[in-house]
């Protein structure tokens, strides 16, 4: 505490008083030395909530490309053209990514929502395209 500007006597008084309260002392030292905030009752369920939101988002948005395949099957049962199927799946996915980019911009306070949506589509297209190409390479290799 002396490094923070307290006199030696005041620092000694602070330490002597805090040592009497073990929980307070440990929590205070964790914050001061390591920057780790003590767990609170209100934040106890926060990791579970974040995990649930992440899982639900993953399931919902992960099913979007599958919807393209289902849509193609329902409309064009006899015409099993893989190119058409992939284009329909990509259209659904690109639209969803665009909407997610706009929502992200609104929630984070970014200025240009349309640009954020476009960037999300480009990033998703690159990631999905690379996954597709790698899958095709592995399929032909093995």
């Amino acid at each position: 505490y002396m490094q923070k500007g307290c006199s030696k006597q005041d620092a000694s008084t602070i330490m002597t008083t805090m040592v009497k309260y073990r929980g307070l002392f440990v929590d205070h030292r964790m914050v001061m030395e390591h920057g780790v905030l003590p767990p609170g009752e209100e934040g106890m369920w926060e990791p579970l909530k974040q995990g649930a939101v992440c899982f639900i988002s993953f399931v919902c948005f992960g099913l979007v490309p599958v919807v393209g395949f289902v849509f193609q099957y329902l409309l064009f049962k006899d015409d099993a053209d893989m190119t058409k199927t992939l284009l329909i799946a990509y259209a659904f996915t690109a639209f969803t990514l665009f909407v997610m980019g706009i929502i992200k911009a609104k929630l984070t306070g970014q200025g240009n929502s349309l640009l954020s949506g476009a960037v999300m589509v480009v990033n998703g297209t690159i990631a999905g395209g690379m996954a597709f190409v790698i899958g095709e390479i592995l399929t032909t290799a093995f």
Side-chain angles (χ1 to χ4, degrees):
Y1 293 101
M2 293 184 334
Q3 292 173 347
K4 300 260 184 211
C6 289
S7 69
K8 186 174 184 177
Q9 182 181 358
D10 287 344
S12 177
T13 302
I14 291 170
M15 290 303 293
T16 305
T17 304
M18 282 201 330
V19 167
K20 293 178 187 178
Y21 306 97
R22 187 177 190 322
L24 171 66
F25 180 71
V26 170
D27 288 347
H28 182 72
R29 296 310 302 164
M30 289 297 287
V31 171
M32 294 298 288
E33 290 181 18
H34 304 291
V36 176
L37 294 175
E41 288 297 318
E42 66 279 351
M44 188 171 90
W45 296 104
E46 209 51 42
L48 185 62
K49 288 180 191 175
Q50 290 177 359
V53 167
C54 186
F55 174 75
I56 291 168
S57 298
F58 179 78
V59 169
C60 292
F61 290 111
L63 286 175
V64 170
V66 176
V67 169
F69 285 91
V70 171
F71 184 76
Q72 195 273 342
Y73 176 75
L74 292 175
L75 290 181
F76 311 106
K77 289 181 185 178
D78 300 330
D79 185 19
D81 181 19
M82 186 55 77
T83 303
K84 188 186 302 182
T85 304
L86 289 175
L87 287 174
I88 292 170
Y90 176 74
F92 278 115
T93 304
F95 175 75
T96 304
L97 286 170
F98 188 75
V99 171
M100 284 174 54
I102 291 173
I103 292 170
K104 179 189 74 135
K106 297 288 185 192
L107 292 177
T108 59
Q110 291 177 347
N112 192 342
S113 299
L114 296 178
L115 178 63
S116 178
V119 167
M120 186 77 83
V121 171
V122 169
N123 287 340
T125 300
I126 292 170
M130 290 303 296
F132 181 78
V133 167
I134 291 170
E136 287 295 312
I137 291 169
L138 292 175
T139 300
T140 56
F142 298 104

